[in-house]
């Protein structure tokens, strides 16, 4: 477990803003990649995204990655290592910012994510299949964008036939709105806040990945989401990883920490498999 402890310590620095992001991104080379930063997708200050692409080949797919941070922290620059890792595998990767609590409440940050999806699809996707990916709160946001059609429909987008697949890392899909989260999820919108409530119906393929040592978001969320999607006849791949915690699962996308979890291999296999098919819903 020594390597896992190193991963937690290093990524903990990133999340605390103590220079860890600079350190991890400093060892993330952009050689062989093209990177555009701060592209606008809307009018607000945080309506910006970064775009990573392989420099010498056409990408096989576009992955839109929504980062986590308890809906109240984070910025796209912290996740340069995610963009670089996936771009090096042959994918285009967009990492958007979105507005955070306490400046906004649910569902504003999900609406921002949907606006980002719409703009990125129009301006950056071309004919590429589009995958929605998120970690932690970002998996919650990406899950709602994918499974609750009210977010993309106003932009003239049907998730079925548009989203090639959903990738959730340590997602809170069915969590209690405790006192800690009540200010983020106000009573008037709280009833539509749980991703699992939208598992019925026909949806794109999903990859749900969770660490069994996760003490921040319990793996039960992923098990329940998997069961709900399967009951509705939707294709799901689930990966429950022994000895992997909440931070390890995303930190392992960085090359120095890749032994902490097989996240990169699992994600790239899913994207490559589903990139070969037309976007579809249901089994």
């Amino acid at each position: 477990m020594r390597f896992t402890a190193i991963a937690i310590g290093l990524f903990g620095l990133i999340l605390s803003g103590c220079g860890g992001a600079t350190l991890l991104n400093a060892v993330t080379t952009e050689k062989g990649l093209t990177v555009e930063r701060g592209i606008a997708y809307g009018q607000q200050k945080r309506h910006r995204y970064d775009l990573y692409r392989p420099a010498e080949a056409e990408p096989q797919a576009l992955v839109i990655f929504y980062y986590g941070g308890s809906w109240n922290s984070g910025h796209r620059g912290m996740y340069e290592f995610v963009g670089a890792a996936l771009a090096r595998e042959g994918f285009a990767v967009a990492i958007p910012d979105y507005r955070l609590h306490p400046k906004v409440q649910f569902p504003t940050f999900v609406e921002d994510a949907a606006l980002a999806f719409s703009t990125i699809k129009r301006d950056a996707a071309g004919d590429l299949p589009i995958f929605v990916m998120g970690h932690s709160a970002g998996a919650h946001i990406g899950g709602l964008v994918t499974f609750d059609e009210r977010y993309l429909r106003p932009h003239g987008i049907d998730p079925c036939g548009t989203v090639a697949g959903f990738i959730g890392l340590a997602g809170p899909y069915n969590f209690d709105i405790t006192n800690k989260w009540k200010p983020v999820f106000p009573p008037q919108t709280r009833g539509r806040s749980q991703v699992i409530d939208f598992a019925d119906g026909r949806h794109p393929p999903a990859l749900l990945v969770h660490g069994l040592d996760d003490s921040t978001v319990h793996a039960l969320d992923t098990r329940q989401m998997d069961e709900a999607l399967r009951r509705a006849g939707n294709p799901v791949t689930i990966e429950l990883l022994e000895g992997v915690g909440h931070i390890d699962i995303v930190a392992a996308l960085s090359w120095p920490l890749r032994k902490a979890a097989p996240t990169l291999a699992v994600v790239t296999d899913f994207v490559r498999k589903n990139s070969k098919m037309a976007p579809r819903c249901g089994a």
Side-chain angles (χ1 to χ4, degrees):
M1 291 297 178
R2 182 174 178 273
F3 194 88
T4 298
I6 293 171
I8 291 172
L10 181 55
F11 205 68
L13 284 175
I14 294 172
L15 297 180
S16 68
C18 298
T22 301
L23 174 60
L24 193 52
N25 289 332
V27 296
T28 300
T29 177
E30 294 179 1
K31 184 178 179 181
L33 308 177
T34 60
V35 183
E36 299 175 72
R37 293 185 171 86
I39 306 168
Y41 71 83
Q43 299 300 314
Q44 301 297 321
K45 184 177 180 181
R46 285 185 64 87
H47 286 174
R48 300 288 184 274
Y49 70 95
D50 295 343
L51 182 64
Y52 300 77
R53 288 177 177 268
E56 301 298 330
E58 288 298 313
Q60 304 167 38
L62 170 66
V63 178
I64 301 177
F65 177 77
Y66 300 106
Y67 54 77
S70 301
W71 305 280
N72 62 21
S73 65
H75 60 86
R76 64 186 190 277
M78 293 167 57
Y79 294 88
E80 182 178 325
F81 69 94
V82 174
L86 293 174
R88 205 165 298 286
E89 293 294 324
F91 313 132
V93 186
I95 305 180
D97 280 331
Y98 51 88
R99 285 174 289 177
L100 302 168
H101 187 265
K103 289 190 175 181
V104 301
Q105 295 174 300
F106 174 80
T108 301
F109 40 78
V110 188
E111 293 167 346
D112 283 357
L115 176 61
F117 182 104
S118 173
T119 305
I120 293 164
K121 176 183 181 296
R122 182 192 68 205
D123 296 343
D127 294 328
L128 296 175
I130 304 172
F131 292 80
V132 171
M133 178 176 173
H135 170 247
S136 193
H140 168 265
I141 292 169
L144 287 175
V145 168
T146 302
F147 301 119
D148 183 355
E149 64 179 20
R150 70 173 176 156
Y151 292 105
L152 290 180
R153 284 288 189 185
H155 300 283
I157 299 171
D158 183 353
C160 288
T162 303
V163 177
F166 169 74
I167 303 162
L169 308 180
Y173 309 115
N174 188 28
F175 61 96
D176 292 330
I177 307 293
T178 60
N179 287 337
K180 179 179 181 181
W181 305 122
K182 285 180 179 179
V184 182
F185 298 91
Q188 62 269 28
T189 59
R190 197 173 294 161
R192 295 183 68 92
S193 65
Q194 301 303 299
V195 180
I196 198 168
D197 291 338
F198 305 98
D200 287 345
R202 298 174 67 249
H203 296 299
L207 169 64
L208 306 177
V209 190
H210 217 117
L212 293 175
D213 280 7
D214 192 331
S215 59
T216 302
V217 177
H218 199 278
L220 179 62
D221 276 54
T222 285
R223 287 191 173 105
Q224 291 176 335
M225 189 67 190
D226 170 59
E227 291 170 2
L229 286 169
R230 288 180 191 276
R231 278 197 304 269
N234 292 298
V236 189
T237 301
I238 185 171
E239 296 282 351
L240 299 175
L241 306 177
E242 294 280 355
V244 174
H246 192 69
I247 292 170
D248 307 346
I249 205 164
V250 67
L253 291 168
S254 171
W255 73 263
L257 306 178
R258 206 152 284 166
K259 291 182 180 178
T263 310
L264 183 64
V266 168
V267 169
T268 54
D269 285 351
F270 177 81
V271 173
R272 287 186 180 125
K273 174 185 175 183
N274 287 282
S275 294
K276 297 175 183 177
M277 309 176 189
R280 68 196 195 282
C281 288

